[in-house]
Amino acid sequence: MTRMHIGFDDTDSPRMGCTTYIAAILVEKLHKLGASFTDYPNLVRLNPNVPWKTRGNGALCLRIRCEQKIVKDIKETVIKEVEENADLSYKGTDPGVVFLFNHVPKQITAFAKRTIQDVVKMREALRLVEKFDAEAVGFKKGRGIIGGLAAIGENLEGDHTYELITYRTPENCGTPRRIDPSSVIEMNEKTSPLTFSNIDPEKSRILITPRGPDPVLYGIRGENPSAVRRAHEIVRSQEPIERWIIFRTNHGTDAHLRTVDSLSEVEPFNPVVVRGVVAEDLKVITGGHVIFTIQDKSGKADCAAYEPTGILQAVARKLLRGDLVEACGGVRPASSTHPMTINLEKLRILKLAPKVVLFNPKCSQCGKRMKSMGSKKGFRCKRCGFRSSKLEKVAVEDKRNLRMEIYITSPRSQRHLTKPLCRYGREKSNAPKQMIVDWHFP
Ligand SMILES: [Zn+2]
């Protein structure tokens, strides 16, 4: 028997398609050819901050065992399916497929890690393909080879989650999705926190349905396959479901965030976790976005909490100069209009500076709060007429309405990779031992 890892990426475009759908079709086809699956299909989200990506940046890997004599058929089936379903006429859609045999070398796993946290080059991917006798097929610029190889390398041996994705029938694609919203609320009540990111409680918005023209009807995320399966059975769809499949993923694991020791190590396009002290008074710009600067001995960076981040933006508004925070998010390079900026996904409050409010002194004769007679001219009591040029304003420490905890962008603006609050403490440290791959196709 031959072990085979099949990675592919970059088949979709903003106007059509979904690489996960190709995976779902291929699971059916490879199963019929006689392949057996050694893992759930893996859906690996790569660095969401790479400059050329505007969508989810998800790559796929299918891991199978099969007889040597069907390897050729399998390869042909995969290449044909990618070619037929990719939006090849779209500029910027550059699909790639990678086949790797037997075990996954550590170097490819390290490459995957960098593809999730950093920016990698095509030639690095091609060098690894050659070194480990893998096979790569690229369409157009073939940039998808990078993601395909990364999906193979990310074995999800550490923290991981699951997503059950349902697909629409072709005639419904492009029309509004019809599912019963009350059934999603019911599903959330019955299965959360073993499922997550179902709804945004702030806006009562359903999050399991995407908005675009892709074939996904809805996706349910959760801690284990049985939780997402049970949740799917509670959701009532008012349109036919062509097929569904469960993926094992790095969704909701913060896999993209890398902790650095100082602000001088923050680099454009590298999602980061970094500490700093709020250096200046914050700015609220048009649209309600909050910008503040943090600094340490090594340098400075701006942080941005955009309006859709909801709670994060509200928390950022309360920061004061001198607060010690940990900023987490993608890094936008400096431009002519702004310095390098961390687009916040999370903000941890580590230390709050005292908030000092100055009051006029109380009258030493009658105890009433006095009135100022003008800058440096002293104070006068309105009740008894007492005057003093010696008294000064009194400093009183005011309460800060912030807790020493982590604040996370509201669910509606969380990235695929952002670990939601309900997952803290549920992180997995091992790959699952038993695999019962679960799907339904027509
Ligand atoms: Zn008085």
Side-chain angles (χ1 to χ4, degrees):
M1 290 293 252
T2 303
R3 280 183 69 191
M4 203 172 165
H5 308 265
I6 304 160
F8 49 98
D9 187 25
D10 205 10
T11 68
D12 52 0
S13 72
R15 64 185 187 194
M16 69 168 266
C18 176
T19 313
T20 72
Y21 183 66
I22 299 181
I25 298 273
L26 279 174
V27 166
E28 177 185 354
K29 296 206 162 162
L30 302 194
H31 175 72
K32 284 179 179 157
L33 279 173
S36 56
F37 287 83
T38 59
D39 192 356
Y40 288 86
N42 293 169
L43 167 53
V44 177
R45 297 286 171 181
L46 309 175
N47 184 355
N49 296 115
V50 293
W52 52 85
K53 267 287 159 190
T54 50
R55 289 188 71 207
N57 209 6
L60 272 298
C61 179
L62 304 175
R63 303 186 199 273
I64 59 168
R65 200 178 285 132
C66 66
E67 285 181 53
Q68 183 60 41
K69 64 176 189 210
I70 65 164
V71 167
K72 191 166 164 276
D73 281 353
I74 285 177
K75 285 191 214 163
E76 281 171 9
T77 304
V78 172
I79 292 165
K80 183 168 166 270
E81 209 58 43
V82 167
E83 189 169 14
E84 280 176 5
N85 286 286
D87 190 2
L88 287 171
S89 63
Y90 186 80
K91 188 179 175 292
T93 295
D94 301 294
V97 182
V98 180
F99 302 100
L100 178 82
F101 301 90
N102 302 317
H103 76 288
V104 178
K106 282 202 176 70
Q107 263 177 278
I108 296 183
T109 299
F111 170 83
K113 188 118 288 172
R114 285 198 298 116
T115 314
I116 294 163
Q117 297 189 333
D118 203 336
V119 181
V120 298
K121 295 212 164 67
M122 182 70 163
R123 63 166 185 272
E124 299 173 57
L126 294 176
R127 211 180 291 143
L128 289 167
V129 164
E130 200 186 330
K131 181 171 180 182
F132 295 104
D133 288 325
E135 289 166 34
V137 181
F139 299 86
K140 293 160 67 189
K141 288 181 186 162
R143 191 179 277 286
I145 289 173
I146 295 176
L149 186 66
I152 289 173
E154 176 50 87
N155 46 28
L156 299 167
E157 269 176 5
D159 195 19
H160 59 270
T161 60
Y162 294 81
E163 179 163 1
L164 184 151
I165 301 183
T166 61
Y167 297 94
R168 321 178 74 185
T169 52
E171 65 272 19
N172 281 322
C173 290
T175 65
R177 290 168 173 82
R178 287 173 293 143
I179 63 170
D180 175 1
S182 68
S183 72
V184 180
I185 291 162
E186 182 190 339
M187 175 275 277
N188 185 60
E189 280 166 3
K190 286 184 174 159
T191 62
S192 162
L194 288 180
T195 62
F196 55 89
S197 307
N198 297 320
I199 47 180
D200 186 321
E202 281 174 41
K203 303 253 172 185
S204 304
R205 190 193 287 173
I206 283 164
L207 299 177
I208 64 170
T209 45
R211 261 143 248 274
D214 56 88
V216 174
L217 180 59
Y218 59 80
I220 302 171
R221 295 169 181 199
E223 296 297 332
N224 58 59
S226 57
V228 293
R229 179 78 199 266
R230 177 165 170 254
H232 161 64
E233 278 156 15
I234 299 169
V235 173
R236 287 184 293 276
S237 173
Q238 290 149 340
E239 61 173 80
I241 290 171
E242 191 210 64
R243 66 185 67 226
W244 59 259
I245 192 158
I246 297 176
F247 294 90
R248 203 157 76 83
T249 86
N250 60 355
H251 289 161
T253 64
D254 278 351
H256 60 314
L257 296 176
R258 190 170 56 97
T259 302
V260 298
D261 293 328
S262 71
L263 282 163
S264 62
E265 294 170 53
V266 177
E267 283 178 54
F269 310 120
N270 286 227
V272 78
V273 179
V274 67
R275 290 180 175 200
V277 173
V278 178
E280 288 156 34
D281 292 335
L282 53 90
K283 292 186 288 248
V284 180
I285 59 169
T286 322
H289 316 305
V290 183
I291 313 285
F292 59 93
T293 307
I294 57 172
Q295 68 175 24
D296 65 9
K297 282 180 196 143
S298 74
K300 277 185 181 188
D302 268 13
C303 297
Y306 294 106
E307 194 280 327
T309 64
I311 184 168
L312 206 49
Q313 174 267 142
V315 165
R317 274 174 189 258
K318 295 182 191 167
L319 291 174
L320 292 179
R321 197 186 294 204
D323 288 345
L324 176 66
V325 298
E326 186 177 77
C328 315
V331 182
R332 195 166 49 139
S335 75
S336 55
T337 53
H338 57 79
M340 189 164 67
T341 304
I342 303 171
N343 292 339
L344 293 180
E345 287 175 46
K346 303 185 174 192
L347 184 69
R348 192 188 290 276
I349 312 283
L350 296 165
K351 209 176 196 177
L352 289 170
K355 180 182 182 181
V356 174
V357 188
L358 294 173
F359 287 102
N360 289 347
K362 282 184 178 165
C363 172
S364 54
Q365 307 296 311
C366 75
K368 178 149 174 82
R369 191 138 336 255
M370 297 171 82
K371 282 266 181 266
S372 170
M373 294 190 292
S375 173
K376 297 202 174 119
K377 286 183 180 141
F379 298 90
R380 186 177 74 89
C381 176
K382 258 179 106 175
R383 191 194 281 164
C384 74
F386 175 74
R387 286 163 184 253
S388 168
S389 56
K390 287 186 190 118
L391 288 171
E392 284 179 359
K393 285 198 181 244
V394 213
V396 177
E397 203 177 317
D398 199 10
K399 247 185 84 181
R400 300 287 309 270
N401 286 315
L402 283 175
R403 289 187 301 272
M404 310 281 263
E405 62 183 45
I406 192 155
Y407 293 92
I408 303 178
T409 184
S410 294
R412 65 184 176 281
S413 54
Q414 281 172 10
R415 294 182 174 283
H416 295 296
L417 281 161
T418 307
K419 179 157 70 178
L421 206 51
C422 68
R423 286 214 70 242
Y424 279 73
R426 293 180 187 278
E427 298 86 353
K428 303 168 187 79
S429 55
N430 292 101
K433 287 200 175 58
Q434 200 193 358
M435 297 288 179
I436 304 159
V437 180
D438 208 357
W439 62 66
H440 167 79
F441 37 71

